[in-house]
Amino acid sequence: MDAVPASLRIAQESAGTAVVVRIAGPLDRSHYAEVRRHLLKCATEAPSAIVVDVRSMECADPVALSVFVTVADQVAKWPSVPLRLVCGRDSRAVTAASPLRRFLDVHATTEEALAADCGSTRVVARIELPNDHSAMRIGRGFIRDTLVVWGLDRVAQDCLLMSAELVQNTIQHTLSAPTVRLEHRRGVLTIAVYDDDPTQPQHAVDPGKGLSGTHGLDLVAFLATAWGSAPTPTGGKVVWATLRTGAREPAGPGSDGDPDADRS
């Protein structure tokens, strides 16, 4: 993770399938970008929740607290991860009257925040593909089989089209082996492709001209509910896209408790 100014200390640890980030020291506007970057990098690992403990943090600048609202809004879109703030019962940073409490899921203790996630179910599967054109065939089979098991074959066509474009981009423009990750949670299917190249793709503008003749990231933008990219903690990137399914998450292999059902 990126270093932050010495006056502010950030530590993180895993707690089951969630991640707990502890922030201590004075927070002001000069820390905004670094705190945002740290939390967004945590999100690229797609934990079940990001729990931010600010009980040892001092708010030197109340405007700086908006970083938590910004990140919560962004990670709610992808990877559909809730951000929960732990403030204690008498927080020095977030008082009982703070307007922040209207926009964030606030808890008194870390244990309480982690327990709030217990009712959420997700299914996840991933596969690492070779950096050659066999990746397209292997990836199609993996996605098709996974969606059948999850009962989501009705969105398979759009998912296959988008994943093919994302995998093809990795093969064409990087030397790394793409990793494809599928996740279904809260009626949203996410297709994410990870690689080791830090170069972010140029954001396409939705062409609005229909599907015929559309390809590449324009096709992803046309089909997806939302899409984007982000740097990963390992120095690479992830490019992701989501589709709404309106379906409940199926139970079975790959559900929380064993969140990553690997195929390789």
Side-chain angles (χ1 to χ4, degrees):
M1 293 295 175
D2 294 335
V4 298
S7 58
L8 191 75
R9 301 179 301 281
I10 300 179
Q12 73 178 65
E13 61 192 60
S14 296
T17 58
V19 62
V20 177
V21 178
R22 303 185 192 279
I23 302 179
L27 176 75
D28 59 36
R29 270 178 252 201
S30 70
H31 303 112
Y32 186 101
E34 297 292 348
V35 172
R36 177 179 177 274
R37 187 178 302 118
H38 188 108
L39 295 175
L40 290 177
K41 283 188 176 182
C42 289
T44 64
E45 298 299 301
S48 58
I50 299 173
V51 175
V52 184
D53 187 341
V54 298
R55 286 176 291 183
S56 297
M57 187 184 79
E58 300 170 8
C59 184
D61 182 352
V63 174
L65 291 172
S66 64
V67 67
F68 300 115
V69 178
T70 300
V71 172
D73 181 65
Q74 190 163 346
V75 301
K77 296 173 184 174
W78 182 84
S80 188
V81 171
L83 186 144
R84 300 194 171 101
L85 210 60
V86 176
C87 298
R89 302 191 187 281
D90 185 21
S91 173
R92 292 174 292 172
V94 184
T95 65
S98 171
L100 202 67
R101 293 176 180 266
R102 298 203 305 267
F103 303 104
L104 292 173
D105 187 2
V106 177
H107 297 269
T109 67
T110 303
E111 293 74 19
E112 179 185 296
L114 291 170
D117 198 56
C118 291
S120 175
T121 302
R122 64 174 180 170
V123 284
V124 181
R126 70 168 74 208
I127 186 172
E128 182 174 324
L129 302 173
N131 187 277
D132 59 43
H133 290 290
S134 70
M136 308 298 288
R137 173 181 53 80
I138 298 169
R140 280 195 301 270
F142 163 74
I143 290 169
R144 189 179 294 111
D145 292 348
T146 300
L147 295 184
V148 167
V149 171
W150 292 354
L152 298 175
D153 43 308
R154 64 189 174 281
V155 297
Q157 182 177 358
D158 286 352
C159 185
L160 286 166
L161 287 170
M162 290 193 298
S163 62
E165 296 295 341
L166 297 181
V167 169
Q168 182 66 31
N169 276 352
T170 298
I171 294 170
Q172 277 189 311
H173 301 298
T174 80
L175 299 176
S176 63
T179 294
V180 177
R181 185 181 190 277
L182 296 178
E183 176 173 343
H184 186 233
R185 175 167 45 175
R186 301 186 183 99
V188 175
L189 176 67
T190 297
I191 310 101
V193 177
Y194 295 75
D195 63 53
D196 297 332
D197 190 313
T199 306
Q200 298 293 314
Q202 294 297 314
H203 281 207
V205 177
D206 187 339
K209 298 179 181 178
L211 186 58
S212 178
T214 304
H215 60 86
L217 293 178
D218 282 342
L219 177 61
V220 175
F222 181 84
L223 294 174
T225 303
W227 83 280
S229 64
T232 60
T234 57
K237 69 176 175 295
V238 55
V239 185
W240 55 270
T242 63
L243 288 170
R244 294 197 183 279
T245 66
R248 297 172 64 96
E249 296 83 348
S255 60
D256 263 351
D258 180 19
D260 291 320
D262 293 329
R263 286 178 57 177
S264 57

